[in-house]
Amino acid sequence: MKDGDALSQDAIDLIENLDDDGMGARTEHFSGAELAGLVRSAASFALARAIESDGNGVVTCADLERALEEVRPALGTQDDVLRVRYPFGISEFSSSVKRIKRDLNRFTAPVLSSSPQLHSLLLVGGGAGAGSTALAAWAAAEASMSGRADYVRFITALDILTAEGGGGDEARATALVERFSEAREMSHSLIVLDDIDQICAGGSKDGYSTIMVSTLRALLRTPPPDATIAKAGGHSKAMSGRKKTMHVIATTSRPDAACVILNELFEETIVVPLLTEANSVQSLITESIDTAVDVDAMSNMIIDQLKEVGCKTVLRLVERAIFTAGIQRDVTSSEALEVILQDFAGDEAMALRVCTV
Ligand SMILES: Nc1ncnc2c1ncn2[C@@H]1O[C@H](COP(=O)(O)OP(=O)(O)OP(=O)(O)O)[C@@H](O)[C@H]1O
């Protein structure tokens, strides 16, 4: 491409730029096939422009920038994996959601320190279904899409359990170390540990595995190595001295997590509150479910009955009500919700009795 005068000078400058904003750094995690795809994509933008405006088909810096937006490396980030964790999006139903989103964006922002840094954050759901998983996935996706993180991994208890070596504590600890080792090689990595209680679950009095907790403690105390070489899918590439960052966000649904053992492992904690106001529930439903009707009545009903509730529960209840009204033509969604809420209260009471016994 370069030889045949096919590149403009600004495109050559971008390719030869060895700084953080140059082509080398921005394609650090691209495989050979992905790089070829990037070149083809840039050439197709130049060709389209040539056909439209009778141009010369030379690939410019703007074509390369557009191609960089279009072609994303499979190794580096997991945008699709993250997006399925917040299927209803993230509704800004209250000022606390806006604050948490600002906090998360600040947490994943680049750091000024000249030494490699590891930052850790515990996202605590104020109760089951508060939305901590969705918020952590959203923060990781934002960091990935804005280029603040070039390597993102969403890790669940299942990933650790199914790792080689079976499900024993030592094998799980080794699997966790391996996940961190890969991330530590990358320049700006972000790991989400979803449902940290399950990841660290074990037989000790507090419900955690001593081996898992001490492994996690050691991992969170060890910043990434200060190397100028990073591995990308088995290939090593010079990083022109970029300082490394590693961000770890863990989620938990245990409302007491802010006060128990895991909390002291992390540098920062954010508590995701439950919804307690009908107008917050109303905004959540309106922003999340296009087909919702009777939203006002449904929101009041949910808060009257449950007093405080997580967004996952709200959306599940409303979806079921809409579905029921769809198949029972003589029932409105709010009437369906009334019955569902009564059954829900009965199920909760029964579960409570069983647990007490
Ligand atoms: N502001 C918001 N914050 C979090 N989730 C939201 C928000 N608005 C809408 N949602 C939706 O609510 C759902 C939250 O589910 P999520 O799995 O995150 O809950 P959770 O608290 O992690 O659940 P669990 O306690 O069962 O682990 C997602 O589908 C998400 O798209």
Side-chain angles (χ1 to χ4, degrees):
M1 194 187 248
K2 188 176 164 186
D3 287 346
D5 284 339
L7 289 172
S8 67
Q9 188 54 49
D10 62 355
I12 294 173
D13 292 345
L14 179 67
I15 291 167
E16 292 182 349
N17 180 355
L18 297 179
D19 294 336
D20 281 4
D21 54 353
M23 199 64 161
R26 290 165 69 188
T27 54
E28 187 190 338
H29 303 302
F30 282 59
S31 64
E34 285 159 352
L35 282 173
L38 185 80
V39 171
R40 272 198 303 277
S41 168
S44 69
F45 287 129
L47 187 65
R49 207 179 42 255
I51 293 167
E52 266 168 32
S53 57
D54 216 10
N56 52 10
V58 169
V59 174
T60 64
C61 178
D63 296 324
L64 288 171
E65 291 287 353
R66 282 181 71 186
L68 278 168
E69 278 171 28
E70 205 158 80
V71 182
R72 300 188 64 83
L75 171 85
T77 58
Q78 292 189 317
D79 297 353
D80 294 340
V81 174
L82 297 171
R83 239 172 268 127
V84 295
R85 298 292 171 161
Y86 52 105
F88 292 100
I90 299 293
S91 147
E92 294 195 350
F93 54 77
S94 70
S95 55
S96 55
V97 176
K98 291 183 190 146
R99 173 182 53 78
I100 291 170
K101 286 173 86 172
R102 280 198 302 274
D103 283 344
L104 288 169
N105 269 329
R106 260 194 299 270
F107 175 76
T108 56
V111 285
L112 296 174
S113 157
S114 57
S115 58
Q117 298 278 316
L118 187 153
H119 294 283
S120 59
L121 169 82
L122 182 63
L123 200 56
V124 181
S132 48
T133 296
L135 283 163
W138 170 83
E142 286 289 301
S144 158
M145 285 184 287
S146 64
R148 277 176 280 148
D150 49 16
Y151 177 86
V152 176
R153 283 294 175 269
F154 187 91
I155 300 171
T156 65
L158 190 63
D159 297 326
I160 300 293
L161 266 177
T162 51
E164 216 172 296
D169 283 7
E170 268 153 34
R172 289 193 298 144
T174 308
L176 191 62
V177 171
E178 275 166 11
R179 303 297 162 123
F180 270 70
S181 302
E182 194 174 50
R184 282 159 53 81
E185 295 293 328
M186 305 299 173
S187 46
H188 301 289
S189 59
L190 192 159
I191 290 182
V192 177
L193 298 172
D194 185 43
D195 202 347
I196 190 74
D197 301 302
Q198 282 306 315
I199 290 178
C200 290
S204 71
K205 225 174 40 233
D206 50 24
Y208 297 118
S209 144
T210 315
I211 295 178
M212 286 302 282
V213 170
S214 45
T215 304
L216 184 62
R217 179 179 286 114
L219 290 170
L220 294 177
R221 297 279 176 281
T222 315
D226 189 4
T228 51
I229 298 293
K231 285 195 190 115
H235 310 289
S236 289
K237 296 189 176 189
M239 287 172 57
S240 60
R242 289 165 79 196
K243 52 190 176 279
K244 285 188 186 179
T245 57
M246 186 169 170
H247 288 92
V248 181
I249 302 178
T251 73
T252 169
S253 301
R254 258 174 83 160
D256 65 344
C259 330
V260 294
I261 182 163
L262 290 182
N263 180 47
E264 55 99 12
L265 300 187
F266 293 85
E267 294 169 338
E268 295 176 44
T269 302
I270 294 178
V271 178
V272 184
L274 296 173
L275 291 89
T276 53
E277 313 258 336
N279 57 2
S280 301
V281 174
Q282 193 172 349
S283 307
L284 171 66
I285 301 172
T286 314
E287 284 178 43
S288 310
I289 304 179
D290 293 342
T291 51
V293 286
D294 294 345
V295 178
D296 195 16
M298 287 202 282
S299 312
N300 284 313
M301 228 182 273
I302 289 172
I303 289 300
D304 286 350
Q305 186 91 29
L306 303 176
K307 309 296 179 230
E308 54 175 22
V309 60
C311 41
K312 187 174 179 178
T313 310
V314 169
L315 296 172
R316 194 188 299 149
L317 290 169
V318 172
E319 264 202 320
R320 278 188 201 156
I322 293 171
F323 179 73
T324 309
I327 48 173
Q328 297 175 13
R329 297 262 166 219
D330 54 337
V331 172
T332 65
S333 38
S334 50
E335 286 165 348
L337 182 66
E338 204 173 345
V339 178
I340 292 170
L341 279 169
Q342 281 164 9
D343 293 346
F344 187 73
D347 294 341
E348 292 272 290
M350 183 70 82
L352 212 63
R353 264 207 304 279
V354 171
C355 291
T356 317
V357 172

